[in-house]
């Protein structure tokens, strides 16, 4: 995937809707994938009660999908480059839809996690073809707008998915989310077949099996160590062993990538300032936004008492700000430069997280809303600039690589965001709970498992549960605050790095020579 090879594109005449049809089909498939990362967050309180899922299980239910997607999007993107991106995308829709329908039948947390992982495999087959098809099929003068539109839907798709999930949960149970996802997967497959050309590399290289294995193991073990470290302890044998395997896997990837002629992802590419800065920006942006959704949606439901639909509607301001901001960002970059816009976007997201970290159990929605609007501005700026930096740092023959790494960084960021925020939140929630020894054993266990289960247990205690419910809410907000501040620090560091090292413009000509390869 790392050589400059021509991309073979089917004539646009075969795509019935032209460029608009391609954009519709690819953005529909994109929204399906992105929405499935976040939509289930609305059902987490229900899952905690109906399936008996504790905080760690809830994190895995949310993140099992994302981990599989992040770990496999790069090798499956390489397969799409070889056999046809549309073909792999349609097959991915079939896998995704079948697994989603089966997930609706799960009766225990373990079964639901397993089907979420299979859904992630299908999503990894879908995701790479969405952006690479746009960059391959669109002419140079329209590509930046196509990429900006794709970036906007990538960010806003999370809110759109939660809106749909909220509406479903008003009338049906959490199972309805999976049945609806299966239906959308079928629609996405049909749209891709009718409206999109099947693009692929004209001269694909030998598939990098070792590189695929190293990256998949590295990403999977990294997220496992973060999530399980919070539950079992970071010095537990399982977490220590997993962490060692993670380091070995990434080191092996780097050594293998530097020595092989056609690596899955050439490590030399990270020598390009634009490629590196764009990757960092996309990882940290998605780390913030999906971690925020994971914890923030529970705040709306458990602390403000909103229903799932009202909680989803409460997040609409993010989408309302992200889409127009993404569309005007290319013009801001032309006037102010890439690094200025990129760094500003990251700092705006960090500021939003710091603001939200100040929430208390008595804070109204208006305080939460300020954080949403500021975050939406930052996401709109960073989504477009991060993607543009990655795509623009490579020549046209390497757009498959650019698309693959853009997808990978997004999903790695999402997985890390859920893992980090979920783990920090869980640890501090448990630490802030009062002495529970006077409670019945089942009630105490429910409180420790999750805030949703704790509030349900408090309701069953009658008047005696009022103080317990208040303590659970305070512990929840304390955990939320620490989780937000932790990721805000990461964003500030990333913003400073981009300000110092990112290129002024997204152009492969400026720093292409800084990355050399063995070829």
């Amino acid at each position: 995937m790392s050589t400059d090879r021509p991309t073979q594109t089917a004539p646009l005449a075969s795509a019935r809707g032209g460029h608009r049809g391609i954009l519709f089909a690819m953005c529909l498939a994109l929204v399906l994938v992105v929405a499935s990362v976040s939509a289930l967050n609305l059902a987490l309180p229900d899952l905690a009660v109906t399936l008996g899922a504790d905080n760690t299980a809830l994190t895995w239910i949310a993140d099992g999908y994302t981990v599989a997607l992040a770990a496999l999007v790069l090798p499956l993107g390489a397969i799409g480059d070889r056999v046809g991106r549309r073909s792999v995308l349609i097959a991915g829709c079939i896998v995704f839809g079948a697994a989603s329908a089966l997930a609706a039948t799960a009766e225990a947390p373990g079964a639901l996690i397993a089907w979420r992982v299979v859904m992630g495999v299908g999503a990894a087959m879908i995701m790479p073809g969405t952006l690479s098809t746009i960059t391959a099929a669109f002419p140079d003068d329209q590509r930046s707008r196509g990429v900006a539109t794709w970036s906007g839907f990538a960010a806003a798709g999370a809110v759109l998915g939660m809106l749909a999930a909220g509406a479903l949960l008003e009338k049906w149970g959490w199972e309805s989310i999976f049945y609806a996802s299966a239906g959308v997967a079928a629609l996405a497959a049909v749209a891709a077949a009718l409206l999109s050309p099947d693009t692929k590399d004209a001269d694909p290289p030998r598939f990098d099996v070792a590189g695929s294995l190293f990256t998949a193991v590295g990403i999977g073990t990294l997220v496992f160590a973060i999530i399980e470290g919070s539950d079992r302890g970071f010095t537990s044998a399982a977490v220590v062993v997993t962490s060692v395997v993670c380091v070995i896997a990434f080191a092996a990837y780097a050594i293998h990538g530097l020595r092989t002629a056609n690596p899955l992802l050439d490590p030399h590419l990270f020598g390009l300032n634009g490629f590196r800065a764009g990757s960092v920006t996309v990882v940290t942006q998605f780390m913030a936004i999906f971690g925020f959704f994971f914890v923030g949606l529970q705040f709306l439901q458990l602390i403000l008492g909103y229903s799932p639909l009202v909680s989803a509607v409460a997040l609409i301001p993010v989408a309302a700000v992200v889409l127009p901001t993404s569309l005007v960002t290319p013009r801001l970059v032309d006037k102010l430069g890439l690094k200025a816009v990129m760094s500003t976007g990251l700092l705006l997201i960090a500021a939003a997280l710091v603001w939200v970290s100040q929430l208390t159990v008595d804070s109204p929605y208006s305080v939460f809303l300020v954080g949403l609007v500021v975050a939406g501005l930052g996401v709109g700026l960073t989504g477009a600039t991060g993607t543009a930096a990655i795509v623009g740092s490579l020549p046209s023959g390497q757009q498959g690589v650019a698309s693959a790494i853009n997808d990978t960084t997004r999903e790695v960021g999402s997985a890390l965001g859920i893992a980090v925020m979920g783990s920090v939140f869980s640890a501090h929630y448990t630490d802030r709970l009062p002495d529970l020894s006077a409670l019945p054993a089942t009630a105490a266990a429910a409180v420790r498992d999750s805030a949703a289960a704790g509030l349900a247990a408090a309701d069953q205690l009658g008047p005696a549960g009022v103080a317990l419910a208040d303590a659970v809410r305070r512990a929840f907000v304390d955990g939320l605050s620490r989780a937000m501040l932790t990721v805000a620090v990461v964003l500030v560091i990333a913003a400073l790095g981009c300000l110092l090292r990112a290129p002024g413009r997204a152009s492969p000509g400026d720093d292409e020579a800084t990355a050399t390869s063995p070829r």
Side-chain angles (χ1 to χ4, degrees):
M1 282 183 63
S2 55
T3 57
D4 292 348
R5 299 181 305 278
T7 296
Q8 183 184 53
T9 305
L12 283 178
S14 66
R16 299 182 183 181
H19 292 126
R20 290 185 178 180
I22 295 170
L23 201 57
F24 170 80
M26 294 302 100
C27 286
L28 177 62
L30 170 69
V31 168
L32 170 68
V33 172
V34 175
S36 295
V37 178
S38 60
L40 201 60
N41 289 338
L42 283 168
L44 292 179
D46 188 22
L47 290 169
V49 176
T50 59
L51 292 186
D54 61 16
N55 280 327
T56 300
L58 291 175
T59 303
W60 273 118
I61 289 170
D63 222 8
Y65 170 88
T66 314
V67 172
L69 174 54
L72 297 176
V73 68
L74 199 56
L76 288 173
I79 292 174
D81 290 343
R82 295 173 64 87
V83 305
R85 295 168 185 127
R86 183 184 64 182
S87 300
V88 173
L89 185 151
I90 292 172
C93 288
I94 296 171
V95 172
F96 184 103
S100 185
L102 289 168
T105 67
E107 297 180 353
L112 183 56
I113 291 168
W115 287 121
R116 284 279 286 173
V117 170
V118 179
M119 287 175 65
V121 175
M125 299 170 70
I126 298 168
M127 186 76 171
T130 58
L131 180 59
S132 57
T133 296
I134 291 171
T135 57
F138 276 49
D140 292 342
D141 61 340
Q142 296 184 37
R143 186 174 299 144
S144 62
R145 187 169 182 83
V147 169
T149 302
W150 184 95
S151 298
F153 275 100
V159 177
L160 296 175
M162 286 186 287
L163 235 114
L168 290 169
L169 291 172
E170 286 293 301
K171 190 171 183 179
W172 297 289
W174 57 266
E175 300 89 346
S176 63
I177 296 175
F178 292 103
Y179 286 128
S181 295
V184 176
L187 181 61
V190 173
L194 295 178
L195 301 175
S196 174
D198 200 10
T199 64
K200 61 182 178 180
D201 281 350
D203 184 24
R206 184 175 182 178
F207 184 73
D208 184 8
V209 177
S212 300
L213 177 64
F214 293 145
T215 54
V217 172
I219 293 169
T221 51
L222 173 61
V223 175
F224 180 91
I226 293 172
I227 295 175
E228 293 299 321
S230 170
D231 185 41
R232 307 184 189 192
F234 287 96
T235 58
S236 66
V239 174
V240 170
V241 170
T242 303
S243 300
V244 171
V245 172
C246 175
V247 172
I248 293 173
F250 280 123
Y253 148 73
I255 295 171
H256 168 78
L258 292 171
R259 292 182 176 181
T260 190
N262 293 296
L264 179 70
L265 176 63
D266 190 350
H268 290 95
L269 292 175
F270 290 97
L272 296 170
N273 288 335
F275 190 89
R276 184 175 58 249
S279 299
V280 170
T281 296
V282 174
V283 166
T284 51
Q285 174 212 338
F286 274 75
M287 179 180 181
I289 196 68
F290 281 98
F292 174 82
F293 286 155
F294 179 74
V295 181
L297 276 169
Q298 294 182 71
F299 173 84
L300 293 174
Q301 292 180 267
L302 300 179
I303 307 302
L304 295 186
Y306 289 177
S307 70
L309 178 58
V310 174
S311 297
V313 171
L315 292 179
I316 287 179
V318 171
V321 173
V322 166
L323 281 172
T325 304
S326 297
L327 293 176
V328 302
T329 294
R331 281 180 282 177
L332 292 176
V333 171
D334 289 340
K335 293 181 179 180
L336 304 175
L338 183 70
K339 69 165 64 179
V341 177
M342 182 183 293
S343 301
T344 299
L346 289 172
L347 290 174
L348 283 172
I349 301 174
L353 295 184
V354 172
W355 177 270
V356 173
S357 74
Q358 305 306 306
L359 292 170
T360 68
V361 293
D362 299 316
S363 295
Y365 170 71
S366 58
V367 178
F368 189 83
L369 177 61
V370 173
L372 283 181
V373 173
V374 175
L377 290 171
V379 169
L381 294 176
T382 54
T385 53
T387 298
I390 294 172
V391 171
S393 65
L394 297 176
S396 59
Q398 288 187 288
Q399 286 306 300
V401 176
S403 175
I405 192 60
N406 185 72
D407 294 339
T408 302
T409 51
R410 285 172 183 272
E411 303 317 322
V412 168
S414 301
L416 289 177
I418 295 170
V420 171
M421 278 210 186
S423 297
V424 173
F425 162 77
S426 180
H428 284 274
Y429 165 77
T430 303
D431 288 344
R432 299 299 182 184
L433 289 172
D435 181 13
L436 303 176
S437 58
L439 292 176
T442 54
V447 172
R448 294 189 190 96
D449 282 347
S450 69
L455 291 175
D459 285 342
Q460 295 177 0
L461 295 177
V466 174
L468 175 62
D470 186 56
V472 169
R473 292 188 181 95
R474 287 198 305 270
F476 177 94
V477 171
D478 285 343
L480 177 147
S481 177
R482 186 59 64 93
M484 296 290 170
L485 289 174
T486 299
V487 176
V489 170
V490 176
L491 285 164
V492 170
I493 295 172
L496 294 176
C498 289
L499 191 61
L500 294 173
R501 300 294 297 173
R505 304 288 169 186
S507 172
D510 293 339
D511 59 3
E512 190 175 356
T514 65
T516 59
S517 74
R519 295 176 300 282

